[in-house]
Amino acid sequence: MLCGICSGQNHIGEDARSLVARAVAADDHSDRLARDYTYKVRDEISEHDGSGNIKATHSTLNEILYIGGKRYFHPLEKDGKTLPPDRQRQEDQKLDRAVRDASRLTGAERDKRLSDAERERARQRSDFKDIPEAFDFKFQSDAVVSGRAAWQISATPRAAYRGKLHGILNNVEGTLWIDKADLNWVKFEADVLNPFRLGWFLARVDKGTHISYQMMRVNNEIWVPETVMLKASARLVLLKKLNVEQHVTFSDYRKFQSDSKIVSTDAEP
C-alpha cells in the first residue's frame, strides 16, 4: 500500500493528486459502509451581529438510522431541551411505523429500495470525483491526526478546471490530511477566496468563510464524520448579510446487525 511513497516531499512513484484520488475512493467506500450504522448528530447554529455578538442560537439533536434502506431522522432535542412528551410520543410512533413498514417489505421490494438508495447516494457523491482535477496539490509535511500518521497536503484551485462545480471549487483553497495506513482523508480546512453563489437559500457566500471538517475511525473498518465547523459570511438574496457559525457534532456510532440489534461500537482513540 503506497510502498512507493516516502514521507513529506520525498515521494516516489505516486504524486499528491493520485493520492487524493485514492482518498476520495476510500471515503466513498466508508460512506457506503456507514449505512450499517446508527448515530447522533447535533447541529448548532449561532447568528452574529456586525460587532460579532451572538444574536441567536438554535440547535437540534437527531438520531440517524437506516430503516429498510432509507435514512431516517429521529428528533431527540431542540435548542438543548428534550422534546415535549406529546411530541416525543409522536416521533416514537412514527419510528415504530417506519420499522413495521420496513419489516413487511418483500425481498424484491427491499432489494429495490436498497438499489434506489445506493443510486441516490452515488448521485449525491458524484461531485466528489471532481476534487482531484479541481485543485493543484502539494505535499507539505508529515503530520499526526488523532494519534495516527498522516500526510498534510495543500490544495489550491486550478483555473483550468471547468467541471460542474467550478463556480465553487475555483474559489476555495485549503489543506487536507490523509491517513497513511488507510488512505482515507481524515481532516480538511478550507477558506473561501472569492464570493460564489450557493443554491437558492444563501445567494452568495462571501470571501473569508472558513470550514473545518474532521473524521474519526470507528469499529476498525470505516472513517466517519466527527465534527464540522463553519464560520460563514453570506448574503441572503444579495441583500441581508449574515454572519453565522455552525458546529455539527457526530457521536454514538453503533452498528446494526442483520437481526436489527445494535452493537455497541466505540471510536478508536
Side-chain angles (χ1 to χ4, degrees), residues 31 35 66-71 110-124:
D31 183 75
R35 292 188 303 175
Y66 286 88
I67 302 174
K70 283 188 175 182
R71 186 165 61 172
R110 180 177 175 82
D111 289 344
K112 182 180 184 305
R113 181 179 286 191
L114 290 172
S115 178
D116 290 344
E118 172 57 23
R119 186 161 47 249
E120 177 62 17
R121 188 198 71 83
R123 184 193 66 79
Q124 292 176 348

Side-chain angles (χ1 to χ4, degrees), residues 41-59:
V41 180
R42 179 179 295 279
D43 188 354
E44 182 174 290
I45 299 177
S46 300
E47 184 178 347
H48 298 250
D49 60 23
S51 300
N53 300 313
I54 296 177
K55 293 170 56 179
T57 299
H58 301 285
S59 67

Side-chain angles (χ1 to χ4, degrees), residues 55-74:
K55 293 170 56 179
T57 299
H58 301 285
S59 67
T60 58
L61 176 65
N62 293 289
E63 185 176 23
I64 313 300
L65 308 97
Y66 286 88
I67 302 174
K70 283 188 175 182
R71 186 165 61 172
Y72 186 92
F73 288 78
H74 184 214

Side-chain angles (χ1 to χ4, degrees), residues 84-119:
D86 289 347
R87 170 77 186 282
Q88 189 66 65
R89 279 194 297 271
Q90 292 174 1
E91 296 298 340
D92 290 344
Q93 290 168 0
K94 288 167 59 178
L95 176 58
D96 290 341
R97 284 196 299 270
V99 172
R100 286 197 303 271
D101 291 345
S103 68
R104 294 167 182 159
L105 294 173
T106 65
E109 289 171 336
R110 180 177 175 82
D111 289 344
K112 182 180 184 305
R113 181 179 286 191
L114 290 172
S115 178
D116 290 344
E118 172 57 23
R119 186 161 47 249

Side-chain angles (χ1 to χ4, degrees), residues 29-263:
H29 177 68
S30 283
D31 183 75
R32 184 178 292 108
L33 294 179
R35 292 188 303 175
D36 294 331
Y37 286 78
T38 177
Y39 53 96
K40 293 177 182 177
V41 180
R42 179 179 295 279
D43 188 354
E44 182 174 290
I45 299 177
S46 300
E47 184 178 347
H48 298 250
D49 60 23
S51 300
N53 300 313
I54 296 177
K55 293 170 56 179
T57 299
H58 301 285
S59 67
T60 58
L61 176 65
N62 293 289
E63 185 176 23
I64 313 300
L65 308 97
Y66 286 88
I67 302 174
K70 283 188 175 182
R71 186 165 61 172
Y72 186 92
F73 288 78
H74 184 214
L76 300 176
E77 295 180 6
K78 183 174 182 180
D79 294 334
K81 299 179 181 179
T82 57
L83 300 181
D86 289 347
R87 170 77 186 282
Q88 189 66 65
R89 279 194 297 271
Q90 292 174 1
E91 296 298 340
D92 290 344
Q93 290 168 0
K94 288 167 59 178
L95 176 58
D96 290 341
R97 284 196 299 270
V99 172
R100 286 197 303 271
D101 291 345
S103 68
R104 294 167 182 159
L105 294 173
T106 65
E109 289 171 336
R110 180 177 175 82
D111 289 344
K112 182 180 184 305
R113 181 179 286 191
L114 290 172
S115 178
D116 290 344
E118 172 57 23
R119 186 161 47 249
E120 177 62 17
R121 188 198 71 83
R123 184 193 66 79
Q124 292 176 348
R125 293 184 59 85
S126 62
D127 294 333
F128 282 74
K129 297 178 181 178
D130 278 6
I131 289 176
E133 298 304 320
F135 297 91
D136 288 320
F137 299 98
K138 183 178 179 180
F139 285 97
Q140 290 186 320
S141 65
D142 292 335
V144 176
V145 180
S146 299
R148 296 170 60 90
W151 287 285
Q152 181 175 326
I153 299 173
S154 64
T156 54
R158 297 177 67 205
Y161 169 70
R162 279 296 180 265
K164 185 170 65 173
L165 293 181
H166 75 90
I168 296 176
L169 299 184
N170 284 165
N171 291 300
V172 297
E173 70 174 4
T175 303
L176 56 91
W177 288 259
I178 296 176
D179 186 82
K180 289 188 176 183
D182 289 350
L183 299 186
N184 216 105
W185 56 31
V186 294
K187 178 181 177 182
F188 72 76
E189 304 273 347
D191 294 288
V192 173
L193 301 174
N194 297 294
F196 58 80
R197 292 178 178 272
L198 183 62
W200 57 268
F201 179 63
L202 292 179
R204 191 182 76 178
V205 177
D206 284 345
K207 178 180 178 180
T209 296
H210 180 80
I211 185 170
S212 173
Y213 191 100
Q214 179 124 3
M215 310 282 284
M216 63 180 171
R217 197 165 184 254
V218 168
N219 207 33
N220 200 30
E221 67 170 348
I222 64 172
W223 286 89
V224 293
E226 181 178 14
T227 58
V228 180
M229 296 183 67
L230 177 71
K231 187 173 183 180
S233 177
R235 291 187 181 275
L236 185 61
V237 197
L238 300 181
L239 296 175
K240 181 182 178 182
K241 186 172 183 179
L242 302 176
N243 292 297
V244 299
E245 288 189 18
Q246 184 172 12
H247 189 183
V248 185
T249 305
F250 302 79
S251 64
D252 200 15
Y253 284 92
R254 294 172 293 167
K255 190 172 185 178
F256 276 104
Q257 293 178 328
S258 58
D259 60 0
S260 298
K261 292 181 180 179
I262 295 177
V263 180

